[in-house]
Amino acid sequence: LPISSLASDFDGKLSLVLGMAVVAKAVSGPSVSVRDEAFATCELPPPVANSALNWTESHCLGKTWSDLPCPVPCDVGFLPEGSGHKCGVDGLWQDSPRCASIWSVGEWSDCQGVADDCGPGGMQYREVTCPQGAGGCHSMSKPTQEQSCRATTGCNWVSSSWSSCSSVCGAGQKLRSVACSSSMEEDCAGAGARPETSESCTDFSDCHWEIDAWTPCSSTCGTGTQTRNVTCQAWTASHCPSPAPELVQLCFNTSGCTWQTSSWSECSNICGDGVALRDVWCASGNDADCDASQRPSSSNPCRSTSGCAWVKGSWSGCSTGCGHGTKSRSVTCPSGEAADCPGVAPATVEECHDTSACEWSPQPWGPCDNSCGDGTRSRSITCSSGEGDADCAQAGLRPAEAETCRSTVGCAWLLGNWSDCSVDCGAGIRSRTVTCPSGDRADCSEDEPASTMACRSSLTCSWSTSAWSQCSNDCGDGEMVRTVLCSGGMDSDCTEEMPAASKPCQETAGCGWTLGTWSACNASCGAGFQSRSAACDSGNVNDCPTPGPAVLQHCYETSGCDWVIGAWSDCSSSCGSGSRERSVACASGRDADCPGDRPISSEACYDTTACAWQTGAWGTCTASCGEGLRARRVWCPSGTDADCAGLDDAPLKTVPCYSTSSCVWHTGSWSECSSDCGDGLQSRSVTCSSGRAPDCKDTQPESSKPCFSTSLCSWQTSPWSPCNASCGSGWQVREVECPSGRAQDCPGVGPATGQSCHSLDGCHWITGEWGECSSSCEPGTRVRAVICSGDSESDCAQVARPADRKICNSQASGCTWHVGDWDNCTAKCGGIGTRARTVQCPSQHGDAGCPAEKPSAVEACVGYGACSWQTSAWSACDATCGTGERIRQVSCTGATEAECTGSKPAAQEECYDTSGCMWWTGQWSSCDTTCGTGVQTRSLVCGDGENCDMSTAPPSTRECFSNKFCTWAIGKWGDCSSECGAGVQERSVQCPSGSDSDCGAVPRPMDRKECHGLSNCNWKVSSWSACSQTCGQGTQHRSVVCPSGRDEDCGEQIRPGSTQKCTENIGCSWRSSEWSKCSSACGNGNRSRVVSCPGTVPEDCAGSKPTEIEPCVGSDG
């Protein structure tokens, strides 16, 4: 027969495959022998039965069997792959698995064989199985079970150390390098956000002062000031070296200095040679600042005799104050020349006798007869005149020749032996006696030796231990703990090795198997399996009883078994090998489970006309936070990609994706506080692990927070204010503050806010009114007060001092005697007495300035009137402390006492005087406290027992201070600041004196120590997460932590589980396959589909189960 186009097409394709010339015959269908020969040569499975119409279009190379189900009839003449089956009477292969099963492919394993699980060179593996057993899937289409891979699970970001801060005074940046531990940064995508390579920093290690030049001196002649600006590079002066450079300094300038002069004074002497003076000064106040060669004269010689007169000095005291001697006076002419003064010079010497200076002359006291304590000493007493004790009558009572005494020169401390330590284990005290032989501790001049001293003893110290706690885990590895304490209170007191406070333990008594529920049988008709989960509580199966419980068991169900017969379909595949079939099967897979004989169910076919690329559902994104890939399966339904190659380009197998499901915030470390003293800010980097902030759904952690630091607090001072006095001593102030605003943050007591100052700027001379002339009858002088407005005349040295005296009455002719009126006569009642008057010479030279004949100042007179008694003033009381006697002169104004009427006044009387009473004081007592401020007392005794003036009494008490017996006062330890975890315990430790240095002989006990609270340690659990499956069995998770950060602190309680199984049906819905073709090509028939629920039981799917079989009407035939 002529070769048709179909035969020709097949002829060419087959010849190409076989490598030989092949002639194809166009017949109604290729015979079995032709197909045998062709496929035997290809070494490929045969096409399914009844595919003769498509035979000439078949491509035998690379073909697989068609879609499920496809039993191969015996008349095809080929056994299924694997062979070993017999042909049955029904024309089918007995016990043959269904052909065209798709290989079952497991998930790829983690990348293996890469060091540190990071980098290339690894392998991934997966399980590839045929669901129908050996021979049920074609080996040529078996997917690969291994592939090369790149490991990233162990990849981490590797950061170098931070560089130094880019600024050494202020804010800057520090840098570091960041790289992935593999050679590709994308390998670290799962290691979180890439660490920051820079961060802000502050450094003040090299701040210095910026200093301007000094301004010119404020004065052109004398002392002035210079100023300059001084600023710190940093924003606060505390970061620059202390003390700060001076802002103001004194300066001295002489460029504008000139000599200043006053007017000439009168001649300095009105009798003889003299000098006229004037003041000459340099404007600066210091003559050295003016040109000495240009200095004007400050004096001019002059001479005058107009005021010459003998000048008689006052009589000197008697040449001896105790006995006979002479007294003298000076008699001079002011000019130095006797001829210049009138008359003969007056006498200059005369005899005298005086006892006013006579006094008792005591010899030095002899030594005290006791060298340590109270005793007696003596001395000899004479009158200084050497003429007897009478000359010393006016010198008072003869001094005592003996008195009590007290000596401490031989006093030394007497020390007893030290006692044993007051305790045998821990801190105690040793003591001894310390006494002074005199009985008064103050007499022993050296510092009093201590009578107590701190001591520690370890004689009986030992370790005490509590019982071991239970193992912290009753299933698996754990730890047992106990308390270990030294009886002395300090571990160093116990010399033996400290027993262990913890040891590892392992416990399996509480281990058991956690079993899941049996799943439903995976077949409703026939053999199947049921499974359940089994896990050991410890995570190690060796810790649980063996053998473990079974996790898989067989099941068999026939209740739903029946023949399922469908209508003949079109070719089951419109792309590739298939079959025209109807469904005939027992639901259990075993015909014996269904009634009757099994109907014929299929015939072969093959077609490529409807081949089109098929795609599976997209997988999950490879990244849970950020950019990743989603993959899907893309295949040609025929099993050979070439059948779909002529169509459009194959669909993409991977596409980019973006996920934010596990995006979390990453925070950097907090920076140092931006302020070294006071309020500031701390900052840190806050980034989303995806690199984009909107991807992180949780509240963004704070990137800054307030902080407070006192690490570099130091007192800041403003410049001193001007002196508040323009001349002399004054006061100036400045502001002193701690930059933090709180004085307690700066060290010690702050600098002074005020200080005394001395200013000369406003100093000037103040002059008073001129006084009267020193003489009204001859040349004299007038004086006035001239004072400086400052503290002393040196403050006005820079200003010329005005004259304080000047000559007056320079034209006067001479002085005459001034005579006063006579007094009353001293005599009465006709007696002879005297009367007196004043006679004075107004001359500044005394009587020598008036005529030599001086008028009489006293004359005799006769008294008039009645005679009367006259009395002198009372003498001083002859006792200065207590009762004594005083006397006076009593006389009658007449010639005899008989002429006076009335009683004669008493010439002596008793008197009482306390002016000489003296207070006697006892020794000060010891301080009434041995540590801190106390009081000392002493006795006070009045010399006469009662007549001393209390206002003049010396103090009987005084404040004292002692630290000889100061020991630390220690309070009890407070509770731990944390009820669960690390905390702090505190107690009061004080020196009773108020100053810790007074207790310095013994180290200050700790007032703060670390502690670990366990009183309220309970497991903290979060809420359960959503079930990992929305339909069926899944897992829920929650966090379980001990608040202290150490699980063993909560070990006495059973640790709640962190995972649990869950079942969810919220996402369950019925799934239906496509309807099969109608079982009848013409007329009434049925069509079927598979309906299943993906949950654990059908009840998980809401609503009624969709129908699996429905009637249909065929129209194809």
Side-chain angles (χ1 to χ4, degrees):
L1 294 176
I3 299 175
S4 69
S5 59
L6 290 176
S8 175
D9 180 59
F10 177 73
D11 182 10
K13 292 179 180 179
L14 192 59
S15 298
L16 179 63
V17 172
L18 300 179
M20 62 179 71
V22 176
V23 176
K25 298 178 181 180
V27 294
S28 61
S31 67
V32 171
S33 61
V34 172
R35 286 183 287 165
D36 287 348
E37 180 183 357
F39 282 93
T41 304
C42 290
E43 298 181 353
L44 294 171
V48 295
N50 302 320
S51 62
L53 293 177
N54 300 326
W55 173 250
T56 56
E57 297 179 8
S58 173
H59 303 261
C60 71
L61 184 64
K63 283 290 177 279
T64 61
W65 296 359
S66 68
D67 297 335
L68 289 170
C70 55
V72 180
C74 290
D75 59 3
V76 174
F78 287 90
L79 294 176
E81 189 172 68
S83 188
H85 301 287
K86 296 180 179 180
C87 190
V89 294
D90 57 358
L92 297 175
W93 298 105
Q94 291 182 353
D95 301 321
S96 171
R98 294 183 179 182
C99 58
S101 289
I102 298 175
W103 292 96
S104 176
V105 180
E107 296 293 329
W108 284 110
S109 67
D110 292 336
C111 198
Q112 303 174 13
V114 179
D116 299 326
D117 294 328
C118 181
M123 294 295 294
Q124 283 178 297
Y125 303 92
R126 64 180 176 182
E127 185 179 8
V128 178
T129 58
C130 183
Q132 300 300 330
C137 300
H138 193 267
S139 59
M140 293 292 289
S141 62
K142 184 176 182 180
T144 180
Q145 291 181 274
E146 62 182 42
Q147 67 178 10
S148 60
C149 59
R150 189 179 187 92
T152 62
T153 57
C155 292
N156 293 299
W157 294 106
V158 180
S159 305
S160 67
S161 300
W162 286 107
S163 67
S164 299
C165 195
S166 60
S167 171
V168 293
C169 184
Q173 277 198 329
K174 52 183 180 180
L175 308 174
R176 64 176 176 184
S177 59
V178 177
C180 185
S181 57
S182 79
S183 59
M184 299 176 63
E185 287 208 352
E186 52 266 29
D187 290 344
C188 286
R194 190 177 193 271
E196 299 293 334
T197 58
S198 64
E199 71 176 15
S200 58
C201 58
T202 54
D203 187 358
F204 302 100
S205 61
D206 194 25
C207 292
H208 61 270
W209 296 100
E210 295 178 343
I211 305 173
D212 293 346
W214 289 107
T215 61
C217 192
S218 61
S219 173
T220 59
C221 180
T223 303
T225 57
Q226 289 177 290
T227 61
R228 62 180 176 183
N229 291 324
V230 176
T231 56
C232 182
Q233 279 185 312
W235 55 76
T236 174
S238 63
H239 298 310
C240 281
S242 179
E246 295 293 337
L247 300 176
V248 180
Q249 71 174 9
L250 294 177
C251 56
F252 198 81
N253 193 356
T254 61
S255 61
C257 292
T258 58
W259 292 105
Q260 305 294 312
T261 61
S262 66
S263 301
W264 288 107
S265 69
E266 299 291 338
C267 191
S268 62
N269 194 353
I270 59 174
C271 179
D273 295 327
V275 177
L277 304 175
R278 64 178 176 183
D279 291 320
V280 178
W281 68 93
C282 185
S284 69
N286 185 352
D287 288 356
D289 299 334
C290 288
D291 185 357
S293 64
Q294 301 297 318
R295 191 181 195 280
S297 174
S298 61
S299 64
N300 194 35
C302 58
R303 183 175 178 80
S304 174
T305 60
S306 61
C308 288
W310 293 107
V311 177
K312 295 178 288 184
S314 300
W315 287 107
S316 67
C318 196
S319 60
T320 176
C322 182
H324 292 84
T326 59
K327 60 181 179 180
S328 62
R329 65 179 176 182
S330 62
V331 177
T332 60
C333 186
S335 67
E337 297 291 338
D340 292 338
C341 287
V344 179
T348 59
V349 179
E350 69 179 14
E351 291 184 354
C352 59
H353 183 79
D354 195 359
T355 61
S356 61
C358 289
E359 59 184 15
W360 298 106
S361 298
Q363 296 301 308
W365 286 105
C368 194
D369 60 7
N370 185 0
S371 63
C372 183
D374 296 326
T376 305
R377 63 179 182 175
S378 60
R379 62 182 176 180
S380 62
I381 306 295
T382 60
C383 183
S384 60
S385 70
E387 300 177 9
D389 290 351
D391 288 344
C392 288
Q394 86 291 342
L397 296 175
R398 194 173 191 272
E401 293 182 300
E403 68 176 4
T404 58
C405 59
R406 186 177 181 83
S407 177
T408 61
V409 295
C411 292
W413 294 104
L414 299 178
L415 306 177
N417 294 326
W418 285 111
S419 68
D420 293 333
C421 195
S422 61
V423 297
D424 292 332
C425 178
I429 294 176
R430 297 173 63 193
S431 61
R432 64 179 176 184
T433 59
V434 179
T435 58
C436 188
S438 69
D440 188 342
R441 309 182 84 84
D443 293 340
C444 289
S445 58
E446 295 182 359
D447 291 340
E448 182 176 347
S451 61
T452 61
M453 66 182 293
C455 60
R456 290 196 76 84
S457 176
S458 60
L459 293 176
T460 61
C461 291
S462 62
W463 296 104
S464 63
T465 59
S466 66
W468 287 106
S469 68
Q470 292 183 345
C471 193
S472 61
N473 191 355
D474 64 356
C475 178
D477 294 330
E479 186 180 39
M480 297 171 65
V481 296
R482 64 179 176 180
T483 303
V484 180
L485 298 173
C486 182
S487 59
M490 295 177 62
D491 289 351
S492 59
D493 291 337
C494 288
T495 57
E496 296 178 355
E497 182 179 359
M498 182 178 182
S502 64
K503 65 179 181 179
C505 58
Q506 188 175 48
E507 185 62 66
T508 61
C511 294
W513 295 99
T514 300
L515 301 177
T517 57
W518 287 108
S519 67
C521 191
N522 64 354
S524 62
C525 177
F529 291 94
Q530 287 177 292
S531 63
R532 65 179 176 181
S533 61
C536 186
D537 296 338
S538 69
N540 184 348
V541 295
N542 295 326
D543 294 338
C544 284
T546 57
V551 296
L552 193 67
Q553 69 179 10
H554 293 281
C555 60
Y556 199 90
E557 185 64 56
T558 61
S559 60
C561 293
D562 198 357
W563 293 110
V564 179
I565 303 173
W568 287 108
S569 67
D570 292 331
C571 187
S572 61
S573 173
S574 58
C575 177
S577 298
S579 64
R580 224 181 114 201
E581 61 181 311
R582 64 181 179 182
S583 59
V584 178
C586 182
S588 68
R590 295 196 318 173
D591 290 352
D593 294 337
C594 289
D597 295 332
R598 185 181 188 281
I600 296 173
S601 59
S602 65
E603 61 183 7
C605 62
Y606 192 88
D607 194 4
T608 60
T609 57
C611 285
W613 293 106
Q614 301 297 304
T615 58
W618 286 108
T620 57
C621 194
T622 59
S624 58
C625 179
E627 296 179 349
L629 293 174
R630 287 197 302 168
R632 64 179 175 181
R633 182 171 170 244
V634 177
W635 73 96
C636 187
S638 68
T640 302
D641 289 352
D643 291 343
C644 295
L647 304 174
D648 295 335
D649 293 339
L652 294 174
K653 293 183 179 181
T654 59
V655 293
C657 58
Y658 199 88
S659 175
T660 62
S661 63
S662 64
C663 289
V664 295
W665 293 103
H666 290 297
T667 58
S669 300
W670 286 108
S671 67
E672 296 293 332
C673 194
S674 62
S675 172
D676 292 328
C677 183
D679 294 319
L681 285 177
Q682 282 180 287
S683 61
R684 63 177 177 181
S685 60
V686 178
T687 57
C688 185
S689 55
S690 70
R692 301 195 319 169
D695 295 342
C696 286
K697 306 305 181 186
D698 295 335
T699 303
Q700 182 174 350
E702 61 182 4
S703 59
S704 63
K705 65 180 182 180
C707 57
F708 192 87
S709 175
T710 62
S711 60
L712 290 179
C713 284
S714 61
W715 294 102
Q716 303 294 302
T717 58
S718 66
W720 288 106
S721 68
C723 195
N724 65 355
S726 61
C727 177
S729 298
W731 191 255
Q732 56 186 168
V733 296
R734 63 179 175 182
E735 292 183 358
V736 177
E737 64 178 1
C738 188
S740 69
R742 305 190 318 171
Q744 61 266 35
D745 296 336
C746 284
V749 179
T753 58
Q755 68 176 10
S756 59
C757 55
H758 201 86
S759 177
L760 304 178
D761 295 342
C763 291
H764 60 278
W765 295 102
I766 301 173
T767 58
E769 296 294 331
W770 286 108
E772 295 293 331
C773 190
S774 62
S775 176
S776 60
C777 54
E778 61 184 353
T781 57
R782 298 173 67 186
V783 297
R784 64 178 176 181
V786 177
I787 59 174
C788 181
S789 60
D791 298 332
S792 64
E793 291 201 352
S794 60
D795 291 343
C796 293
Q798 77 276 14
V799 182
R801 188 180 190 278
D804 61 354
R805 65 185 58 238
K806 65 180 179 179
I807 295 182
C808 56
N809 287 337
S810 58
Q811 305 302 318
S813 59
C815 296
T816 59
W817 293 101
H818 287 190
V819 179
D821 295 331
W822 288 108
D823 294 337
N824 293 328
C825 189
T826 59
K828 301 294 183 182
C829 63
I832 302 299
T834 60
R835 62 177 184 175
R837 63 179 177 182
T838 59
V839 178
Q840 295 178 329
C841 182
S843 171
Q844 60 184 338
H845 301 296
D847 289 353
C850 288
E853 187 177 349
K854 181 180 180 180
S856 175
V858 179
E859 68 178 6
C861 61
V862 176
Y864 296 94
C867 295
S868 61
W869 297 102
Q870 286 188 332
T871 58
S872 66
W874 287 106
S875 68
C877 192
D878 61 3
T880 59
C881 181
T883 302
E885 190 177 72
R886 64 178 182 173
I887 60 175
R888 64 180 174 179
Q889 293 179 347
V890 179
S891 62
C892 180
T893 57
T896 64
E897 289 187 356
E899 297 181 13
C900 286
T901 60
S903 301
K904 181 180 180 180
Q908 63 181 31
E909 69 178 3
E910 189 179 83
C911 58
Y912 191 82
D913 193 359
T914 61
S915 63
C917 290
M918 296 178 60
W919 290 98
W920 294 87
T921 58
Q923 296 294 324
W924 286 110
S925 67
S926 298
C927 198
D928 63 357
T929 181
T930 58
C931 182
T933 301
V935 175
Q936 283 179 292
T937 61
R938 64 180 177 183
S939 60
L940 290 181
V941 179
C942 182
D944 73 340
E946 59 181 7
N947 298 307
C948 293
D949 185 358
M950 292 302 297
S951 66
T952 63
S956 60
T957 61
R958 69 180 180 185
E959 190 178 84
C960 58
F961 184 84
S962 175
N963 61 5
K964 294 179 181 179
F965 300 101
C966 286
T967 56
W968 296 103
I970 304 172
K972 294 183 179 179
W973 284 110
D975 294 333
C976 191
S977 61
S978 172
E979 294 181 339
C980 182
V984 175
Q985 279 180 289
E986 294 182 323
R987 64 179 177 183
S988 65
V989 177
Q990 296 178 329
C991 189
S993 70
S995 173
D996 285 359
S997 61
D998 294 333
C999 292
V1002 178
R1004 188 179 191 272
M1006 293 188 303
D1007 60 359
R1008 183 182 177 92
K1009 67 178 181 180
E1010 295 180 352
C1011 58
H1012 200 82
L1014 299 175
S1015 62
N1016 193 26
C1017 281
N1018 298 303
W1019 294 104
K1020 302 296 184 184
V1021 296
S1022 66
S1023 301
W1024 287 108
S1025 66
C1027 194
S1028 61
Q1029 299 294 330
T1030 59
C1031 180
Q1033 193 172 63
T1035 305
Q1036 286 178 294
H1037 300 273
R1038 66 178 176 182
S1039 64
V1040 179
V1041 296
C1042 188
S1044 70
R1046 303 193 317 179
D1047 287 358
E1048 57 265 30
D1049 292 343
C1050 294
E1052 294 183 359
Q1053 307 171 48
I1054 297 175
R1055 189 179 195 275
S1058 59
T1059 61
Q1060 69 175 12
K1061 296 187 181 299
C1062 57
T1063 302
E1064 186 60 80
N1065 61 12
I1066 190 172
C1068 294
S1069 61
W1070 294 102
R1071 296 182 182 177
S1072 304
S1073 65
E1074 296 293 328
W1075 288 106
S1076 67
K1077 297 229 174 171
C1078 194
S1079 61
S1080 174
C1082 181
N1084 294 327
N1086 291 314
R1087 63 176 183 174
S1088 63
R1089 63 179 177 182
V1090 178
V1091 178
S1092 62
C1093 180
T1096 56
V1097 294
E1099 289 75 13
D1100 289 340
C1101 291
S1104 300
K1105 181 178 180 181
T1107 182
E1108 295 180 283
I1109 300 175
E1110 70 176 8
C1112 60
V1113 177
S1115 60
D1116 293 343

